[in-house]
Each structure stands twice: as C-alpha cells, then as structure tokens.
Amino acid sequence: MLEITEELLAAIRAEAEKAYPDECCGFIFGKMSGTDKSAVSILPNLNKSEDAERYHRFTITAEDMLRAELHARKEKLDIVGFYHSHPDCPAIPSEYDRSHALAVYSYIIVSCVKGRAAEVTNHTLDPEDNYTTFIAEAMKIKN
C-alpha cells in the first residue's frame, strides 16, 4: 500500500497538466517498510524521450536515477515509486510501462484528458507472478 497526501497527489496532477500533451514523469520519495510505502515528496523529472515519442512515452535516464538516489540519500528517504501521465488515455499501465518497471516500487499514473488531470491509479509489480505483471496497489490518501 502507498500512503500519500492529497497535496502530493495535487502536485502530481499539476505536473501532468503542465506537461500536456506530452507525458510527465518523476520520482516519489518517502519511507519503505516491507510492501508498505509512505510518500513525503516528489521530484519532477524532464521526460527524456525523443520529441516525437513524448506524447506516449517517458524516459528516465541512468543519470536521472543517480540524481534521484543522491537526493534520497541527502534527505534520508527512499525512492518509493515513480509517477507519469497518460495524455488522452486511461490511467492503465501499458506494456511499455510494465516492461520498464522495477520490482517493489509504486507506479502512479494520471490520465490527463484535454489538458486536465482526471483519473489517478496506482500499481506495483506482482511478487506472486515473479514481478512480471502489474497489479493495482491500494492508496491511502491523507489530508
């Protein structure tokens, strides 16, 4: 389960709207305890996909990951997940999303319809399926 504040979800929705018609992406920081995660901050990331692909793909480079890891270490936090948007598409993980996902993390997806954030979902890779398929992950939203 991912525990997250409404304020952080609002910031993620705002990032989706700001990036529209392209996908946004970023990191979610907090604390991990087994399969439970508590989010405390986000770090937007510039989508590094090629210009013609940004409307339906996001890329986080190795350098971006290193920057996020250093940020987490400095703040004494863990990377607990990632977020991205699906412009004019449902907030359902794509095959591309699944094939690039890493075990244990939360993956928040925001559907952004005509520039307005809509549905928000959260997923994680299924440990019972060798982390090869996405399953819905509960979100506990705090005020």
Side-chain angles (χ1 to χ4, degrees), residues 5-131:
T5 64
E6 184 56 52
E7 180 182 356
L8 283 179
L9 281 178
I12 292 169
R13 287 183 189 101
E15 287 296 316
E17 291 177 357
K18 181 178 159 187
Y20 185 86
D22 293 332
E23 287 196 10
C24 74
C25 60
F27 301 92
I28 305 167
F29 298 96
K31 290 294 182 180
M32 236 185 233
S33 177
T35 58
D36 291 331
K37 304 160 202 119
S38 179
V40 299
S41 64
I42 64 168
L43 179 64
N45 191 72
L46 183 63
N47 182 346
K48 303 290 177 36
S49 287
E50 295 178 20
D51 290 347
E53 296 295 311
R54 287 189 190 136
Y55 76 97
H56 72 134
R57 295 276 185 269
F58 74 94
T59 299
I60 293 175
T61 65
E63 291 83 11
D64 297 331
M65 240 355 240
L66 176 60
R67 180 174 55 90
E69 288 285 353
L70 292 172
H71 175 80
R73 186 177 300 165
K74 178 182 169 200
E75 299 298 319
K76 296 181 175 48
L77 297 171
D78 303 311
I79 297 174
V80 298
F82 304 88
Y83 67 86
H84 73 281
S85 60
H86 280 185
D88 297 318
C89 289
I92 299 169
S94 67
E95 176 56 27
Y96 180 87
D97 295 339
R98 189 211 54 82
S99 67
H100 289 81
L102 302 169
V104 307
Y105 294 111
S106 295
Y107 290 88
I108 291 179
I109 303 174
V110 179
S111 174
C112 194
V113 180
K114 296 181 182 175
R116 303 287 303 183
E119 180 184 23
V120 177
T121 61
N122 183 43
H123 308 269
T124 193
L125 290 172
D126 186 355
E128 294 184 16
D129 192 27
N130 286 333
Y131 301 99

